[in-house]
Amino acid sequence: MSLISIIIPAFNAAATLPETMESIAAQTWTGWEAIIVEDGSQDDTWAVAQRLAAGDPRIKLVRNPGKGPSDARNHGALKVARGEVIAFCDADDLWESGKLASVALALIFGASDAAFGRVRFFRGTPGNLGASSTVPVEPVTVPMLMGENPVCTMSNLSVRRPVFEALGGFRNDMIHNEDLEWLIRLVGAGHELEGLDRDHVLYRTSPHGLSSDLVAMEMGRAEALRTARALGYAPDARAEAVHLRYLARRALRLDADPRQAMALVAKGLRRSVPAFLFPLKRGLPTAIGALIAPSLPRDLRRSLFSR
């Protein structure tokens, strides 16, 4: 059975790492190695990782202290991994048991270069599931990525190791949207990114996580767009409208001033009404939600617009 290398950057993850590793141990595809890259935690992450590794020889531990998640992923994937395929997983997310088997069909037995599936979002416990991402039926393109990233999270990305090596890994100088920038390089270089229409990841949402910083997200996206322009692509009105819809939904989920979401909706509709509103199951609730957001309880806003 071909080997898949799972790269898990871990920073202050003592509370969530055991559950993450339990979901990996439950994979129906058993030919894997898991590389936990400890990144200078201030809690018991290292001790927890040692206990987990003692119970499963497929788990490897390395330290890459204080260099950030991109450098941790690059270190594990480029310097430690032995598998044909690299699969990334964050230390607070969970995998569906069939994820690696699905990835193997696409990347080991199939012709794709990278793959992703659907993501389901939860708060607190996995039983508290909210929204689910969608997988585009058409091929992923650079213009699509400039609007919205269908992969959603690093825990949902798997790639052939030679392809990852050829692209040089993630940019270490980016904290937000480094995955988007890398995906633009991937697709822009002519590699196939395949969406698999099945649940792969359970994503733990938090209003205080990295993804909650809207300003930093915009700075990261600006870097990703520079990469796209270097490849000959520039965002059009449609891409900007889709991106503003995404930001509006994110603002509704976070502890942001509800007026921020309304401003984003208005800006998105000015860019392109059809692109912002369609599909209606995403656009219309976003527009209505922003309008009534000031009267909605905070927890209800978060649950309605978790993706």
Side-chain angles (χ1 to χ4, degrees), residues 217-236:
M217 286 175 63
E218 279 298 273
M219 293 175 62
R221 180 173 182 264
E223 285 297 314
L225 292 183
R226 288 189 185 95
T227 296
R229 288 189 180 95
L231 293 169
Y233 298 91
D236 56 15

Side-chain angles (χ1 to χ4, degrees), residues 193-210:
L193 173 62
E194 182 180 0
L196 307 173
D197 194 21
R198 58 181 300 168
D199 293 340
H200 276 189
V201 178
L202 300 181
Y203 178 89
R204 190 186 306 268
T205 63
S206 168
H208 306 297
L210 278 177

Side-chain angles (χ1 to χ4, degrees), residues 164-243:
F164 188 77
E165 291 172 343
L167 291 172
F170 303 106
R171 280 181 50 176
N172 296 332
D173 60 336
M174 294 180 65
I175 297 176
H176 288 276
N177 277 318
E178 71 279 10
D179 53 340
L180 175 62
E181 194 275 340
W182 187 86
L183 289 170
I184 287 173
R185 281 191 277 134
L186 173 80
V187 175
H191 297 295
E192 182 181 353
L193 173 62
E194 182 180 0
L196 307 173
D197 194 21
R198 58 181 300 168
D199 293 340
H200 276 189
V201 178
L202 300 181
Y203 178 89
R204 190 186 306 268
T205 63
S206 168
H208 306 297
L210 278 177
S211 61
S212 68
D213 191 336
L214 295 177
V215 174
M217 286 175 63
E218 279 298 273
M219 293 175 62
R221 180 173 182 264
E223 285 297 314
L225 292 183
R226 288 189 185 95
T227 296
R229 288 189 180 95
L231 293 169
Y233 298 91
D236 56 15
R238 181 190 182 283
E240 289 301 299
V242 171
H243 177 65

